[in-house]
């Protein structure tokens, strides 16, 4: 019922020539895939090249962040219409690295989400607890407050453009994947909270991705869980062969 969604977040990796090589390989390798939505989020600098290569293919492009204004004196920032004009259909919002190093708050996430949707972008909103929050038993409280603020007052259109990614911060880039059971417990909680906010019907259709050290050898067990609808893959998406294996879970 919920179509699987596998996304690659390249973070600050790959020059244009490296990006071109990887995208060409992926386009060829994944061309037969019909039952999974595939998205790649290269750095901004490689978007236009990637858009040229993926045009008309089954690989969609996303950006790793976006500003909430359409234009203005915001040195170093990129706006939703700019992403659309570079060929993006998606944008990742509120990644834990944006939260940790660049001061992104849940309120920012909400502003950016609304602004991105006004330009026609689908949004992947990231949430997740830190290690000390999990260890002190606060995981669900953290997820609850992140969801309440980030997904505040969404219109029908905004809801329809939403994908949620659960990325426990302690599992990102650490090689420590949440076990399928731990991930499923969090995903189930997230779906329940979204049902409280927007009703069961909506919650049962919204896709919730898992992110944090997803690899070819753990994707299948994760995807077998009832509430895990896909993955947001960092490190393992940089290698075209390993990302292809993940898409082919
Ligand atoms: P990772 O990153 O797969 O390297 O843990 C995931 C992410 O940051 O989205």
């Amino acid at each position: 019922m919920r179509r699987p969604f596998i996304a690659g977040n390249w973070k600050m990796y790959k020059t244009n020539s490296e990006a071109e090589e990887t995208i060409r390989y992926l386009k060829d390798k994944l061309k037969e895939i019909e039952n999974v939505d595939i998205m790649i989020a290269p750095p901004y600098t490689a978007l236009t090249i990637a858009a040229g290569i993926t045009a008309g293919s089954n690989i969609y492009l996303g950006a790793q962040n976006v500003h909430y204004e359409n234009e203005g004196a915001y040195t170093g920032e990129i706006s939703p219409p700019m992403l659309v004009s570079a060929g993006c259909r998606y944008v990742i919002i509120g990644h834990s690295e944006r939260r940790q190093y660049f001061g992104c708050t849940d309120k920012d996430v909400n502003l950016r989400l609304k602004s991105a949707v006004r330009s026609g972008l689908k949004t992947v909103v990231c949430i997740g607890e830190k290690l000390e929050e999990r260890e002190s038993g606060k995981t669900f409280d953290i997820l609850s407050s992140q969801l309440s603020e980030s997904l505040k007052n969404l219109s029908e259109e905004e809801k329809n453009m939403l994908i949620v990614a659960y990325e426990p911060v302690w599992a990102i880039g650490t090689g420590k994947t949440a076990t399928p059971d731990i991930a499923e417990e969090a995903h189930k909680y997230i779906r329940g909270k979204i049902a409280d906010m927007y009703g069961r019907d909506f919650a049962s259709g919204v896709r919730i991705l898992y992110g944090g050290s997803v690899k070819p050898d753990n994707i299948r067990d994760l995807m077998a869980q009832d509430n895990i609808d896909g993955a947001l893959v960092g490190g393992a998406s940089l290698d075209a062969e390993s990302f292809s294996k993940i898409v082919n879970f």
Side-chain angles (χ1 to χ4, degrees):
M1 173 191 57
R2 294 186 297 266
R3 197 174 145 83
F5 187 100
I6 305 284
N9 169 17
W10 285 3
K11 310 192 180 191
M12 198 173 72
Y13 291 97
K14 293 192 190 286
T15 61
N16 282 358
S17 58
E18 291 163 348
E20 181 170 351
E21 189 186 338
T22 309
I23 295 265
R24 283 196 192 286
Y25 180 97
L26 287 176
K27 184 183 169 186
D28 183 56
K29 191 90 181 169
L30 299 176
K31 61 179 186 286
E32 311 288 339
I33 301 280
E34 284 176 354
N35 52 354
V36 177
D37 286 336
I38 306 165
M39 188 269 269
I40 297 284
Y44 293 132
T45 40
L47 283 173
T48 305
I49 285 181
I53 298 168
T54 55
S57 79
N58 56 350
I59 299 177
Y60 295 114
L61 279 189
Q64 300 173 16
N65 185 31
V66 68
H67 196 266
Y68 48 81
E69 294 288 356
N70 282 352
E71 59 181 12
Y74 298 100
T75 302
E77 293 294 315
I78 302 282
S79 77
M82 291 171 185
L83 294 183
V84 172
S85 74
C88 286
R89 298 273 293 271
Y90 290 88
V91 61
I92 299 169
I93 303 178
H95 189 279
S96 68
E97 287 150 17
R98 298 300 316 173
R99 293 173 185 263
Q100 185 179 348
Y101 305 127
F102 303 99
C104 180
T105 63
D106 290 315
K107 206 168 161 227
D108 290 328
V109 172
N110 188 256
L111 273 174
R112 284 160 205 245
L113 180 168
K114 288 173 173 283
S115 171
V117 171
R118 272 197 297 280
S119 284
L121 290 164
K122 297 185 183 179
T123 59
V124 179
V125 169
C126 303
I127 56 169
E129 81 286 0
K130 299 189 188 116
L131 182 61
E132 61 271 24
E133 292 163 343
R134 174 160 286 269
E135 285 176 341
S136 57
K138 294 199 189 114
T139 298
F140 292 162
D141 291 346
I142 295 292
L143 296 178
S144 172
S145 82
Q146 287 177 333
L147 288 165
S148 308
E149 285 295 313
S150 308
L151 306 186
K152 202 173 194 163
N153 293 330
L154 298 191
S155 66
E156 280 305 305
E157 191 192 7
E158 287 156 358
K159 279 157 51 187
N160 290 335
M161 301 290 253
L162 175 71
I163 293 173
V164 175
Y166 169 61
E167 298 206 306
V169 179
W170 48 271
I172 296 180
T174 57
K176 271 192 205 166
T177 324
T179 62
D181 287 349
I182 290 178
E184 170 62 14
E185 183 189 39
H187 280 232
K188 196 170 169 192
Y189 176 82
I190 291 166
R191 202 176 297 287
K193 172 75 188 179
I194 294 175
D196 292 344
M197 292 173 74
Y198 293 114
R200 271 175 171 275
D201 274 3
F202 172 69
S204 68
V206 73
R207 289 182 287 186
I208 307 175
L209 317 181
Y210 171 77
S213 298
V214 173
K215 303 270 181 309
D217 61 6
N218 59 27
I219 183 71
R220 188 174 290 203
D221 288 346
L222 289 162
M223 291 303 286
Q225 304 299 313
D226 285 349
N227 287 287
I228 299 184
D229 308 312
L232 181 53
V233 187
S237 73
L238 296 172
D239 178 65
E241 188 59 39
S242 91
F243 187 66
S244 302
K245 286 189 187 148
I246 293 171
V247 172
N248 278 294
F249 66 90

